[in-house]
């Protein structure tokens, strides 16, 4: 799977479009709010100039005995004072409105973007997304990108504020002299490019550190997760893992801090240049007042306008860096949303005619991003009503072969035929509806007992009898009586009042989840189905498997060869190849790999 590369401009354009799609009404209202709060200071400065000039004129006429009467007798003076007061009151009062609008904007954008990402990940058929380091790093960067995209909505609003401050400031400052706004702009523009260069360098570092960040998260979960808590303490591993986390954090922080310091020095230098331009303009106005070219009101106005213009430039320059930063950081979101799985659903329905069974022809497989072949030139047939056991040492490719049969991956080369139809040509949802699986890394859903079983076949989720039956078949029906809320008992300590189960009980629930869809199933896949069960209960599960496999194709991956002994045929894998094949008796008589494995395992029970 190739990641589509986006330029910062492309990412920015799509980011802005996504923000607009997420919160159009909030953005509109914030724009109107910023129009008022952005232009109000310039208008207030102009009215203050009028107030100062009128006050100077009235005082120049002599002592004012009745101040109120003097103000009321001068409409221009009165309206200017009223305007300044009203504008200040209005700006103060709408601050609370802005808080509400910004909160709504933040939540809207977060929910919209996260929903898009979750939909993409949840419906991504190719599980390479969760098993390939490059794609795992993409998920890590996407999470950061979602945080930046949320910030982008605030940055856009701030830049609107800067624009609304800037435009009237330019108009008023140009009344001093036409070159004033040009000097201020010329002195400030270099800061924009310095800021953008610094942001780009920072993001490139974050990209290269995505793997370290993900590894830090892994160690953080090791230190804080319930799964590892007991062994962590019993083996006194806290200091080792904590030291590793701190080492990674130190390296990451040190690299980022170096870039921050370099960027800060450059920005400070160019800020001084910008300050010199503003100082030159200010001195020009002061000299004009002393010469009589400008009034005291003009001095107050121009001083305020220069400060306003510099403020607007700082807002726009500072946020332009943030916009560029967001554009770089949000690229992974769109890379993920644009990512196409290598595994695509076919469109054909499963045929009811023709020869039944599954056939693997010259099948080879290497995981995405790796040249190492896990399976090599596998040829195998599985007939209806036949239980096939896959055995072999760790790393032989047994579980990988089970994943391919479930079409969680497509073979690198070769073909899998299901009832003489290429697996890749079949509708993926229909195909998987005909398969029941119990994987060795089975899911422990933080949900009710009913849901943990019923989610295996949602049409029977509300049928108590169906759920009770499969729980009984899996040998765990006693849970219904033992748990306070029966089928509605929440399982998992993450849930309020949730009940945790033993590993063996969880595995039996996973078996029940597979059993409930048995009426639709043609292929059963069991990957180490008794790994968490004690020998006393193992025989019961073997009996269940043998019973439910009648008339169906069944593939069992197991290290426990007592289960393999029950299979109709045993396939021995070694280094990704089939090296032996036959019944238990045939392979024992052969006296080779299977014989060695079986006798070695049997001796441990003597």
């Amino acid at each position: 799977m190739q990641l589509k590369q986006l330029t910062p401009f492309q990412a920015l354009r799509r980011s802005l479009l996504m923000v607009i799609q997420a919160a159009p009404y909030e953005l509109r209202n914030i724009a109107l709010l910023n129009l008022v709060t952005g232009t109000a200071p310039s208008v207030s400065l102009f009215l203050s100039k009028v107030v100062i000039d009128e006050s100077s004129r009235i005082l120049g006429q002599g002592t004012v005995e009745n101040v109120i009467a003097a103000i009321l007798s001068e409409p221009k003076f009165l309206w200017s004072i009223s305007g300044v007061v009203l504008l200040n009151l209005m700006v103060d009062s709408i601050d609370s409105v802005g808080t509400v609008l910004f909160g709504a904007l933040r939540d809207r954008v977060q929910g919209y973007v996260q929903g898009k990402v979750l939909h993409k990940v949840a419906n991504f058929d190719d599980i390479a997304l969760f098993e390939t380091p490059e794609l795992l790093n993409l998920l890590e960067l996407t999470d950061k990108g979602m945080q930046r995209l949320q910030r982008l909505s605030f940055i856009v609003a701030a830049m609107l504020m800067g624009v609304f401050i800037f435009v009237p400031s330019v108009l008023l400052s140009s009344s001093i002299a036409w070159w004033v706004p040009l000097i201020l702009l010329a002195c400030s523009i270099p800061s924009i490019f310095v800021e953008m260069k610094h942001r780009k360098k920072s993001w490139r570092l974050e990209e290269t550190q995505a793997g370290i960040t993900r590894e830090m998260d892994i160690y953080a979960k090791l230190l804080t997760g319930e799964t590892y808590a007991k062994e962590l303490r019993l083996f006194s591993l806290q200091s080792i893992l904590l030291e590793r986390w701190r080492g990674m954090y130190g390296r990451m922080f040190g690299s980022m801090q170096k870039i921050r310091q370099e960027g800060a020095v450059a920005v400070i230098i160019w800020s001084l240049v910008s300050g010199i331009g503003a100082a030159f303009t200010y001195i020009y106005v002061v000299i004009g007042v002393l010469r009589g070219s400008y009034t005291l009101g003009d001095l107050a106005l121009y001083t305020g306008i220069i400060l306003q213009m510099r403020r607007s430039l700082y807002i726009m320059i500072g946020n332009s860096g943030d916009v560029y930063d967001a554009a770089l950081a949000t690229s992974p979101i769109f890379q993920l949303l644009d990512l196409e799985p290598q595994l695509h659903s076919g469109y054909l329905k499963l045929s009811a005619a023709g020869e039944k069974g599954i056939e693997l022809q010259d099948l080879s497989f290497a995981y995405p991003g790796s040249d190492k072949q896990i399976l090599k030139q596998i040829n195998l047939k599985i007939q209806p009503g036949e239980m096939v056991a896959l055995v072999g040492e760790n790393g032989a490719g047994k579980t990988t072969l089970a994943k391919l049969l479930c079409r969680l991956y497509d073979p690198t080369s070769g073909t899998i035929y299901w009832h003489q139809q290429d697996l890749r040509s079949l509708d993926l949802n229909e195909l998987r509806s005909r398969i029941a699986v119990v994987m060795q890394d089975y899911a422990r859903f933080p949900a009710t007992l009913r849901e943990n079983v019923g989610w295996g076949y949602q049409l029977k989720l509300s049928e108590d009898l169906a759920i009770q039956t499969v729980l009984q078949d899996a040998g765990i029906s006693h849970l219904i009586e033992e748990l306070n809320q029966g089928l509605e008992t929440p399982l998992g300590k993450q849930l309020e009042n949730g009940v945790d189960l033993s590993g063996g009980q969880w595995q039996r629930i996973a078996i029940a989840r597979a059993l409930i869809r048995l009426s639709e199933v043609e292929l059963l896949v069991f990957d180490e189905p008794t790994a968490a069960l004690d020998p006393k209960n193992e025989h019961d599960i073997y009996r269940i498997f043998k019973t439910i496999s009648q008339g169906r194709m069944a593939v069992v991956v197991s290290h426990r060869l007592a289960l393999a002994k029950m299979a109709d045929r045993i396939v021995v894998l070694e280094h990704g190849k089939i090296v032996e094949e036959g019944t238990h008796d045939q392979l024992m008589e052969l006296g080779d790999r299977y014989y060695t494995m079986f006798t070695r395992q049997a001796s441990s029970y003597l």
Side-chain angles (χ1 to χ4, degrees):
M1 284 179 283
Q2 291 294 322
L3 298 180
K4 180 181 177 182
Q5 297 303 315
L6 298 174
T7 66
F9 176 76
Q10 289 173 323
L12 177 60
R13 181 177 58 80
R14 293 182 66 176
S15 297
L16 292 174
L17 182 61
M18 185 171 277
V19 169
I20 292 169
Q21 290 171 338
Y25 300 112
E26 287 77 10
L27 281 174
R28 181 200 63 190
N29 294 336
I30 287 173
L32 293 173
L33 185 74
N34 285 345
L35 177 61
V36 174
T37 54
T39 57
S42 295
V43 175
S44 180
L45 282 172
F46 179 77
L47 293 176
S48 296
K49 163 195 157 40
V50 175
V51 170
I52 292 171
D53 286 343
E54 287 298 303
S55 298
S56 299
R57 183 181 61 80
I58 293 171
L59 288 173
Q61 295 174 355
T63 305
V64 179
E65 295 181 359
N66 190 333
V67 175
I68 301 300
I71 293 174
L72 293 175
S73 64
E74 298 288 344
K76 185 178 179 181
F77 195 21
L78 175 62
W79 285 111
S80 297
I81 293 173
S82 301
V84 171
V85 172
L86 288 174
L87 280 172
N88 288 333
L89 288 174
M90 182 176 64
V91 170
D92 290 341
S93 63
I94 61 178
D95 279 345
S96 57
V97 177
T99 302
V100 174
L101 289 176
F102 279 111
L105 177 65
R106 179 194 63 230
D107 295 343
R108 285 274 193 189
V109 172
Q110 180 181 358
Y112 182 83
V113 179
Q114 192 169 13
K116 285 266 189 186
V117 170
L118 289 175
H119 180 270
K120 179 69 176 184
V121 174
N123 291 283
F124 201 83
D125 291 321
D126 199 329
I127 62 169
L129 182 62
F130 309 99
E131 297 184 348
T132 307
E134 181 186 8
L135 297 181
L136 287 171
N137 289 344
L138 178 65
L139 289 175
E140 178 72 29
L141 291 171
T142 297
D143 187 55
K144 289 186 176 182
M146 285 193 290
Q147 298 171 22
R148 302 288 178 87
L149 191 58
Q150 186 179 338
R151 280 181 53 204
L152 181 63
S153 57
F154 293 96
I155 296 167
V156 170
M159 289 200 74
L160 283 175
M161 169 75 80
V163 170
F164 292 141
I165 294 173
F166 179 75
V167 172
S169 298
V170 167
L171 294 174
L172 287 174
S173 64
S174 61
S175 64
I176 304 174
W178 63 268
W179 47 263
V180 169
L182 296 180
I183 285 183
L184 293 175
L185 280 171
C187 292
S188 301
I189 284 175
S191 299
I192 298 175
F193 294 102
V194 170
E195 186 81 11
M196 289 173 67
K197 182 180 178 181
H198 165 63
R199 298 291 178 139
K200 185 174 183 178
K201 198 172 181 181
S202 297
W203 175 248
R204 291 290 174 253
L205 181 62
E206 283 194 56
E207 277 189 314
T208 59
Q209 290 182 335
I212 296 177
T213 304
R214 186 165 56 82
E215 199 169 345
M216 283 175 60
D217 289 341
I218 292 172
Y219 282 113
K221 289 174 183 176
L222 288 174
L223 288 163
T224 60
E226 176 192 351
T227 307
Y228 313 97
K230 294 187 288 293
E231 289 183 69
L232 198 72
R233 284 154 179 78
L234 290 172
F235 294 115
S236 301
L237 301 175
Q238 301 97 317
S239 59
I240 295 173
L241 298 178
L242 189 57
E243 192 60 33
R244 288 187 182 180
W245 184 91
R246 283 175 174 160
M248 292 177 189
Y249 172 79
R251 292 197 303 274
M252 186 179 69
F253 179 80
S255 301
M256 187 61 73
Q257 191 69 358
K258 183 179 179 181
I259 290 179
R260 290 193 188 106
Q261 290 169 353
E262 291 173 358
V265 171
V267 170
I268 288 171
I269 291 171
W270 283 107
S271 294
L272 290 174
V273 173
S274 176
I276 291 171
F280 176 79
T281 308
Y282 177 74
I283 292 169
Y284 174 80
V285 175
V286 171
I287 292 172
V289 171
L290 295 176
R291 287 177 175 175
S293 303
Y294 301 113
T295 64
L296 289 174
D298 290 332
L299 177 60
L301 170 64
Y302 297 147
T303 302
I305 285 298
I306 290 170
L307 293 175
Q308 282 288 102
M309 191 170 176
R310 288 198 70 201
R311 178 188 166 213
S312 67
L313 286 171
Y314 275 126
I315 290 174
M316 290 190 290
I317 290 171
N319 283 291
S320 66
D322 287 335
V323 167
Y324 190 71
D325 179 45
L328 292 169
T330 55
S331 293
I333 295 176
F334 304 109
Q335 287 180 309
L336 176 64
L337 295 178
D338 292 342
L339 189 64
E340 291 295 330
Q342 290 180 332
L343 187 151
H344 295 281
S345 176
Y347 60 89
L348 296 180
K349 299 295 182 182
L350 291 174
S351 175
E355 185 180 345
K356 304 294 185 182
I358 293 176
E359 182 177 1
L360 286 65
Q361 289 186 358
D362 299 325
L363 183 145
S364 297
F365 178 75
Y367 281 101
S370 172
D371 295 328
K372 180 184 177 183
Q373 285 198 326
I374 306 300
L375 297 170
K376 306 165 189 174
Q377 297 294 307
I378 299 292
N379 288 282
L380 178 67
K381 288 185 179 181
I382 305 169
Q383 302 295 336
E386 182 181 29
M387 177 186 284
V388 174
L390 302 178
V391 302
E393 302 294 341
N394 289 333
K398 305 182 299 296
T399 296
T400 299
L401 184 54
K403 289 179 181 178
L404 289 168
L405 288 171
C406 298
R407 212 187 163 209
L408 294 174
Y409 285 102
D410 280 335
T412 307
S413 63
T415 309
I416 302 175
Y417 292 99
W418 180 297
H419 303 341
Q420 297 184 317
Q421 293 175 285
D422 189 331
L423 214 62
R424 288 167 290 203
S425 68
L426 300 174
D427 179 86
L428 191 58
N429 290 328
E430 184 182 3
L431 172 68
R432 288 178 178 170
S433 71
R434 304 294 181 92
I435 302 172
V437 298
V438 179
M439 293 292 185
Q440 61 180 343
D441 51 349
Y442 54 86
R444 305 183 182 194
F445 292 110
T448 64
L449 174 58
R450 175 191 298 278
E451 290 167 333
N452 263 282
V453 177
W455 280 349
Y457 189 44
Q458 295 181 41
L459 293 177
K460 293 186 178 181
L461 182 61
S462 59
E463 297 181 17
D464 289 5
L465 181 59
I467 294 175
Q468 290 166 0
T469 300
V470 294
L471 284 171
Q472 184 173 1
D473 289 342
I476 200 168
S477 58
H478 58 87
L479 273 183
I480 301 173
E481 301 298 327
E482 293 175 2
L483 298 174
N484 292 335
Q485 301 177 54
L487 291 175
E488 310 309 323
T489 303
L491 301 183
K493 290 184 178 179
Q494 309 99 305
L495 301 177
E496 187 174 355
N497 300 319
V499 176
D500 202 10
L501 304 177
S502 68
Q505 288 174 320
W506 273 114
Q507 190 156 25
R508 284 179 181 268
I509 286 176
I511 293 169
R513 187 160 56 240
L515 294 179
I516 199 169
R517 70 191 306 175
L518 206 58
S519 60
E520 304 293 318
V521 165
E522 294 184 48
L523 173 65
L524 295 166
V525 178
F526 298 110
D527 185 2
E528 299 293 353
T530 60
L533 301 178
D534 55 60
K536 179 181 177 182
N537 294 312
E538 204 170 9
H539 182 74
D540 293 337
I541 299 299
Y542 293 166
R543 178 182 52 79
I544 293 170
F545 290 158
K546 192 66 177 176
T547 300
I548 65 176
S549 297
Q550 299 300 317
R552 298 180 177 86
M553 298 173 287
V555 174
V556 180
V557 177
S558 181
H559 284 92
R560 297 190 180 181
L561 300 184
L563 177 55
K565 185 178 179 180
M566 297 178 63
D568 301 302
R569 186 155 46 102
I570 298 168
V571 175
V572 182
L573 290 167
E574 187 175 281
H575 304 305
K577 294 182 178 181
I578 295 177
V579 293
E580 290 181 359
E581 190 175 350
T583 65
H584 171 76
D585 292 338
Q586 290 171 340
L587 295 179
M588 290 298 290
E589 185 177 344
L590 187 64
D592 201 348
R593 277 117 163 150
Y594 179 80
Y595 173 84
T596 303
M597 287 189 294
F598 189 86
T599 53
R600 185 173 59 210
Q601 193 171 109
S603 66
S604 65
Y605 288 93
L606 298 178

